Amino acid sequence: MIRKNYCLIILFFIIGIALRFPLIEKMQSHWDGPQYSIAVVRYSLIQETPAPPGYPLYIAMGRLFYFFTHDPHKALLFVSVLFSGIGASVFYWSGRLIFNKITGIIAASIFLSGSTFYYFGLTTYAYGITPVVITILMSILYLIIFKKKQLGLVLGLAFSIIVGIRPQELMFVLPMFLAGIIFLPGKQRFFAIAGSIAFFLIWFLPYLKIVGGLDNYIKVSNNFAKGAILPFSFQNLFEFSELMLKGFWLSFGVAGIFILYYPYKLINILKNNNFKLLSKRKKQIIFFMLWFLPSFLFNLFIRTDHAGYQMEYLSALTILISFAVWSVLKKKNTLNSGVLLIILLNLFIFFRNWDKDYSKPYRPTSFHYSDIRKNDLILSTKVNFIKEKFNPKTTLIIITPTLWRPIMYHFSEYLVYEIDGLFTKEKKFEKIIRISRNWNSEMYYSDQQKFTVPDNIETLILFDSESNFWINGKGKKVYSFGKNIKITSLPVNQQEVFSYNLYSIEKVDK
């Protein structure tokens, strides 16, 4: 049995690697990835490469692979693929540990096929690591609470590593860590606390040197956090709820229906006044509430953008839903066919081409494979053409916000302007202009919504496909590459002034 268990762990690891590696993205196509990739070769919280409070151990893993790939994007893709394999093994191990072997197999299958999990395994997001390391920590906690294992040092190591990978996780993993300390005996408590401090200092002290000291780290992180935390409003609550439902559906597909197993069981327990059963399950209930609630409440009331922010509680639901699937379908002798159907439908959701004619707007984080391939084609076509035809010293590229980071990454030698006012009339954004060159960027506000052509610039490139309708002028050219892929160029003179508005750029006559 032990040999079979290890064989399954290895098998799921191999499957995780095999399903991801051939399909990884080719181009940077979302906001976060370029930040991380630049950080691999030049770490700067001021430049938000990466965004504060940083991803120290995640970037360190990318740096390790960078020695072999000499390409920061590929290096981080290898990290994503590696953790896809590790994640498949971890979810099998955790499901088997907490419930049973079949639950573990179902949990690994959901992780391998669910759209959000699949997507993060093919792109340079740090979010794909989150459910893996959180599940490892909670499995250690389970061993401590329910199996009475003396794992203080291991608990401390796991805790400090998670904080090192993504420091934002501290608010979610600290209650888990404290719960482990409570259930450990005195000597093991010391090992857990001392170990976590020691492991933390091992990575944090060198990290402080990179970011300019503790005072600078705190200052930069606090300034960034002020803009990241959104004030409570019912509109935000509605939007967050919608995003969480989307993340739930894209993670589990039809398997998500089985979460109703738990309220159904609770109703039956209350109806039959079987409170002794609840009392017996008290520890298990507290265990999963500890895993589920902090992240769930944060996403619901404070901040969520997409499923990446929800990975802590989605990892808990992966185990719970897997057990519910086993509990329901085993009684109907439909377990094998039911699990196979779940896997196939998950893969259908992820791999179905939702935009065959490329008519839909750019979506940086859609959790559909077709969008990865679509973005690869669009960006590689345009990037290669511009680099071949236009001199980086005399070309200014203008883009809208969704492509800001990918374009400034791929066109490091070019001058790039990102102009929010071309895309939105929202007051807090419409005056923003971002400028980059050589992976250095700055942001300022233009009250007059104008920009001046810098010295030595001879050509204006509008990168967005639909931008050929935004500007007119002598010498304007529209380059079409099929499938609605276009760029627009316009010859300009230095010091010429252009005004801009929503989907409009006009030369200002002196």
Side-chain angles (χ1 to χ4, degrees):
M1 290 299 294
I2 293 175
R3 182 179 295 178
K4 287 183 179 179
N5 187 41
Y6 283 124
C7 286
L8 279 172
I9 288 173
I10 295 170
L11 178 62
F12 278 122
F13 175 79
I14 294 172
I15 292 173
I17 299 292
L19 287 179
R20 267 52 167 183
F21 186 74
L23 305 177
I24 53 176
E25 68 175 5
K26 303 300 186 293
M27 304 291 289
Q28 297 277 11
S29 58
H30 44 83
W31 188 281
D32 291 1
Q35 293 179 299
Y36 304 145
S37 296
I38 294 171
V40 168
V41 295
R42 194 197 63 194
Y43 200 100
S44 173
L45 295 180
I46 298 295
Q47 285 285 311
E48 296 186 11
T49 54
Y55 297 73
L57 296 185
Y58 171 62
I59 301 301
M61 286 186 282
R63 183 69 183 179
L64 179 63
F65 281 105
Y66 180 68
F67 285 119
F68 304 99
T69 65
H70 306 292
D71 182 324
H73 182 213
K74 288 182 180 178
L76 288 173
L77 285 172
F78 286 173
V79 175
S80 298
V81 171
L82 175 63
F83 272 86
S84 294
I86 295 173
S89 298
V90 164
F91 275 99
Y92 164 72
W93 172 60
S94 182
R96 183 182 185 278
L97 172 70
I98 297 173
F99 291 112
N100 55 54
K101 179 181 175 180
I102 303 302
T103 298
I105 292 173
I106 297 170
S109 300
I110 288 175
F111 177 79
L112 288 170
S113 63
S115 290
T116 59
F117 303 121
Y118 217 132
Y119 182 87
F120 290 131
L122 305 180
T123 56
T124 51
Y125 272 108
Y127 301 117
I129 300 178
T130 303
V132 180
V133 292
I134 292 291
T135 302
I136 291 173
L137 179 66
M138 292 308 293
S139 298
I140 294 168
L141 184 60
Y142 185 88
L143 287 169
I144 291 171
I145 295 175
F146 298 96
K147 303 295 183 179
K148 309 300 180 185
K149 298 292 184 179
Q150 308 298 295
L151 298 174
L153 196 61
V154 178
L155 178 70
L157 173 62
F159 172 70
S160 63
I161 288 176
I162 291 172
V163 175
I165 290 172
R166 191 168 183 263
Q168 299 94 314
E169 303 300 327
L170 178 63
M171 69 182 84
F172 307 126
V173 298
L174 183 59
M176 304 172 186
F177 178 66
L178 294 176
I181 290 175
I182 291 171
F183 281 94
L184 284 169
K187 188 176 180 180
Q188 288 295 321
R189 288 178 185 175
F190 170 78
F191 287 152
I193 296 171
S196 66
I197 293 172
F199 293 129
F200 172 77
L201 293 176
I202 286 172
W203 66 260
F204 189 65
L205 291 179
Y207 179 63
L208 283 183
K209 187 175 181 180
I210 295 172
V211 298
L214 183 61
D215 289 343
N216 186 61
Y217 178 70
I218 293 173
K219 179 181 178 181
V220 174
S221 298
N222 283 343
N223 289 339
F224 184 82
K226 289 176 183 177
I229 302 300
L230 302 177
F232 174 80
S233 70
F234 286 105
Q235 180 181 352
N236 286 343
L237 182 63
F238 175 78
E239 290 177 359
F240 295 164
S241 300
E242 186 177 17
L243 287 168
M244 291 168 73
L245 286 171
K246 182 181 178 182
F248 180 85
W249 164 250
L250 289 173
S251 298
F252 306 116
V254 294
I257 299 170
F258 288 87
I259 198 64
L260 297 175
Y261 168 81
Y262 295 100
Y264 170 77
K265 292 290 288 186
L266 179 60
I267 291 169
N268 280 343
I269 289 170
L270 296 176
K271 188 184 294 185
N272 298 322
N273 295 320
N274 194 1
F275 296 106
K276 286 185 178 179
L277 182 59
L278 278 181
S279 181
K280 287 181 181 179
R281 299 293 184 186
K282 181 171 63 177
K283 277 188 180 181
Q284 286 91 338
I285 293 170
I286 293 173
F287 173 81
F288 276 105
M289 286 180 66
L290 193 66
W291 192 348
F292 175 86
L293 275 182
S295 169
F296 179 82
L297 294 176
F298 178 88
N299 280 270
L300 183 61
F301 292 108
I302 299 177
R303 176 73 184 267
T304 194
D305 285 354
H306 52 68
Y309 287 69
Q310 304 159 28
M311 282 293 148
E312 292 84 1
Y313 76 81
L314 289 176
S315 62
L317 289 178
T318 302
I319 302 298
L320 287 170
I321 287 173
S322 298
F323 176 72
V325 170
W326 173 77
S327 299
V328 173
L329 296 185
K330 69 168 184 174
K331 297 177 180 178
K332 300 181 181 299
N333 296 318
T334 56
L335 184 59
N336 292 339
S337 56
V339 173
L340 180 61
L341 180 63
I342 287 169
I343 294 170
L344 292 176
L345 288 175
N346 279 349
L347 294 175
F348 173 77
I349 292 169
F350 183 63
F351 283 103
R352 181 190 172 190
N353 191 345
W354 300 89
D355 187 20
K356 293 181 181 180
D357 58 359
Y358 286 26
S359 61
K360 296 179 181 178
Y362 170 83
R363 298 187 297 180
T365 309
S366 70
F367 304 113
H368 295 295
Y369 180 71
S370 59
D371 279 326
I372 294 177
R373 293 283 76 93
K374 171 184 172 182
N375 293 337
D376 278 346
L377 176 61
I378 292 174
L379 286 175
S380 63
T381 300
K382 293 184 179 184
V383 168
N384 293 336
F385 179 81
I386 292 171
K387 286 185 175 182
E388 181 181 345
K389 299 293 184 181
F390 296 94
N391 187 339
K393 295 180 180 179
T394 61
T395 303
L396 169 61
I397 300 173
I398 293 182
I399 57 171
T400 50
T402 51
L403 284 170
W404 160 239
R405 287 290 185 184
I407 298 309
M408 65 90 72
Y409 176 83
H410 288 297
F411 289 104
S412 60
E413 296 180 353
Y414 290 74
L415 182 62
V416 180
Y417 281 14
E418 184 274 297
I419 302 176
D420 277 26
L422 287 171
F423 187 75
T424 181
K425 294 295 289 182
E426 197 171 343
K427 289 185 178 180
K428 64 178 180 179
F429 296 121
E430 66 176 349
K431 296 181 179 180
I432 291 177
I433 292 182
R434 294 182 177 91
I435 300 175
S436 78
R437 182 171 245 166
N438 297 322
W439 287 349
N440 294 308
S441 64
E442 60 179 313
M443 184 181 78
Y444 71 93
Y445 292 85
S446 173
D447 291 330
Q448 296 181 336
Q449 292 191 268
K450 296 179 181 179
F451 68 88
T452 302
V453 176
D455 293 341
N456 302 320
I457 296 298
E458 299 174 358
T459 305
L460 203 65
I461 296 287
L462 275 66
F463 194 87
D464 295 70
S465 291
E466 60 273 20
S467 61
N468 61 300
F469 299 111
W470 303 354
I471 194 169
N472 286 300
K474 186 177 180 180
K476 170 186 169 181
K477 290 184 179 179
V478 179
Y479 300 90
S480 180
F481 308 95
K483 287 186 174 289
N484 295 317
I485 304 173
K486 299 175 183 177
I487 61 170
T488 302
S489 72
L490 183 73
V492 293
N493 298 312
Q494 60 187 24
Q495 299 305 310
E496 281 186 325
V497 179
F498 286 83
S499 65
Y500 60 88
N501 211 317
L502 188 66
Y503 306 132
S504 173
I505 301 177
E506 294 182 358
K507 181 181 175 181
V508 177
D509 294 327
K510 293 183 179 180

